[in-house]
Amino acid sequence: MLAQLVELEKAARAALDAVADEQALAGWYGAYLGRKGKITEAVKALGELPRAERPAYGQRVNEAKRTLEAAHEARRAAIVHAAQDDALLADRVDVTLPGRPAHPGRLHPATRTQREICAIFADMGFQVYRSRHVESDEFNFGLLNMPPHHPARDMWSTFYTTTPGVILRTHTSPGQVHAMREYCPEPVRVVLPGMCYRYEQITARSEIMFNQIEGLAVGPGITMTDLKGTLVDFARRMFGAERKIRFRASYFPFTEPSAEVDMDCILCGGRGCRVCKETGWLEILGCGMVHPVVLRNGGYDPAVYSGFAFGMGPERIAMLKYGIQDIRYFWGNDVRFLEQFG
Ligand code: 2NL
């Protein structure tokens, strides 16, 4: 019996040495140490031995069981470690590789240009004023000297909401009325940047949403000379110290007199080229002296106060400055376009 036990233990050890993974290990355990395993059976056989042989056999079989259990545990730990080592080798990370550069975002060219324009006017003492995009008919038209059915309303095609009298602003001018009412009777100097909305055909030159920046200065004794000086300074700070501007008579319902402002072409300097369509001039904005009716609607007495106002499109300004051919690029969301700025 003892000789058999020694052979069994040897065989069990040899089999355990051949075990390479957890599945085979579980099979080995069942075969030797499980409920019907050979060592378990050998322990049970103790009861069938003559009484005299029991102590020696019992001691030997328990010892075999203990050592095999310890060997099993050691083998199990070795297999688990080997599996972990394999996984680590397979998943190897080279921590010395240079990192992938993070792709930093940047400001949209319209936002950049808008901020650039605001900064120039801020230097001249204009504060930035922001106002709501959803407006009443009254503020968008009525208070700007366009009562219902005024023909000048045809200059703006409007997005209406389902609430009567509530519309998307077609220009930033209603915000100027808010600013005047907030500051009157104090003099006011503000620039008002922001999105405007017009229900129009989208083309290379016009979009249904676009930014506008308007400026407004109201005080006692403000003249058209102040307007011209302010705008020539703006053109030179934005487009270069040699710039010239000219005024052409125009019409806006909220200014009188009104004018369009052209700047000598930044590409040809006025000689005539493809950019200025051989005219030598580029239109940059519209302006005028605030209409007395609008001054009064803003809370100022037109007998005492006067003011100038102007409005421009930052996208248009950016198109001139960077030679962009089509306004639809601005909201087309093509990163190949956006990446070129900033
Ligand atoms: C343009 C022309 C302009 C104004 C905007 C204005 C506002 C008030 C009173 C008087 Cl509250 N005027 N704004 C005046 C003249 C022209 O914009 O072509 N913008 C893109």
Side-chain angles (χ1 to χ4, degrees):
M1 273 308 260
L2 272 177
Q4 259 178 349
L5 187 59
V6 169
E7 281 310 307
L8 177 59
E9 191 182 347
K10 252 174 144 177
R13 276 201 169 276
L16 187 61
D17 286 342
V19 159
D21 56 41
E22 286 186 83
Q23 206 186 339
L25 186 66
W28 179 90
Y29 193 88
Y32 291 97
L33 294 169
R35 216 151 45 80
K36 294 215 165 95
K38 289 179 182 160
I39 296 292
T40 314
E41 299 291 346
V43 174
K44 284 184 200 157
L46 183 67
E48 285 143 37
L49 280 183
R51 198 169 283 279
E53 289 177 29
R54 283 187 199 173
Y57 181 84
Q59 194 182 6
R60 190 67 191 79
V61 80
N62 278 324
E63 197 183 293
K65 190 180 169 194
R66 270 198 311 276
T67 49
L68 285 173
E69 259 162 3
H72 169 263
E73 179 51 32
R75 191 86 196 120
R76 199 194 57 77
I79 286 170
V80 167
H81 277 127
Q84 279 174 347
D85 285 350
D86 285 352
L88 284 173
L89 275 175
D91 256 2
R92 194 135 98 177
V93 175
D94 183 352
V95 294
T96 67
L97 279 176
R100 291 186 195 87
H103 194 66
R106 64 193 79 188
L107 289 178
H108 191 282
T111 308
R112 267 192 48 157
T113 310
Q114 196 176 54
R115 290 193 184 179
E116 221 175 309
I117 297 168
C118 285
I120 289 171
F121 285 107
D123 272 355
M124 294 191 236
F126 288 76
Q127 67 166 315
V128 177
Y129 192 88
R130 289 178 187 276
S131 176
R132 53 198 302 181
H133 297 202
V134 178
E135 271 291 356
S136 63
D137 184 277
E138 173 80 348
F139 272 83
N140 197 78
F141 294 114
L143 295 171
L144 292 164
N145 200 26
M146 284 175 280
H149 310 298
H150 191 288
R153 286 191 176 211
D154 285 355
M155 291 166 74
W156 299 275
S157 318
T158 311
F159 279 113
Y160 293 87
T161 69
T162 47
T163 311
V166 177
I167 62 172
L168 298 188
R169 66 180 180 191
T170 60
H171 40 205
T172 48
S173 317
Q176 306 279 32
V177 181
H178 290 300
M180 284 192 282
R181 289 188 170 190
E182 184 175 331
Y183 290 106
C184 77
E186 293 298 316
V188 62
R189 240 183 308 177
V190 292
V191 276
L192 212 152
M195 200 62 91
C196 302
Y197 310 86
R198 291 188 193 167
Y199 183 60
E200 283 171 2
Q201 185 72 43
I202 298 173
T203 69
R205 298 174 50 79
S206 70
E207 257 285 8
I208 58 172
M209 52 185 283
F210 55 94
N211 284 291
Q212 202 176 38
I213 299 182
E214 265 188 317
L216 174 76
V218 176
I222 287 187
T223 67
M224 198 144 173
T225 325
D226 299 317
L227 172 60
K228 291 180 96 171
T230 303
L231 292 182
V232 74
D233 199 41
F234 164 71
R236 288 175 181 169
R237 289 184 195 225
M238 190 73 193
F239 290 100
E242 293 83 51
R243 293 280 73 84
K244 291 184 291 190
I245 60 169
R246 72 175 184 187
F247 280 53
R248 266 183 299 116
S250 184
Y251 171 77
F252 299 106
F254 27 76
T255 45
E256 183 58 38
S258 305
E260 308 281 353
V261 174
D262 300 334
M263 172 180 77
D264 60 329
C265 177
I266 45 180
L267 194 70
C268 65
R271 281 183 300 280
C273 68
R274 156 182 74 73
V275 169
C276 58
K277 299 199 188 75
E278 308 302 330
T279 64
W281 295 97
L282 300 169
E283 186 180 317
I284 57 168
L285 54 85
C287 64
M289 299 305 291
V290 180
H291 196 287
V293 167
V294 180
L295 277 177
R296 188 174 290 114
N297 289 338
Y300 295 96
D301 177 357
V304 181
Y305 291 87
S306 55
F308 67 73
F310 56 86
M312 70 184 98
E315 285 86 288
R316 292 252 160 94
I317 298 287
M319 286 169 82
L320 296 176
K321 194 159 175 168
Y322 303 113
I324 299 162
Q325 305 287 339
D326 194 316
I327 203 167
R328 289 170 289 197
Y329 283 126
F330 284 93
W331 317 123
N333 247 359
D334 187 334
V335 282
R336 291 172 303 176
F337 169 72
L338 301 171
E339 269 171 356
Q340 295 176 59
F341 306 92

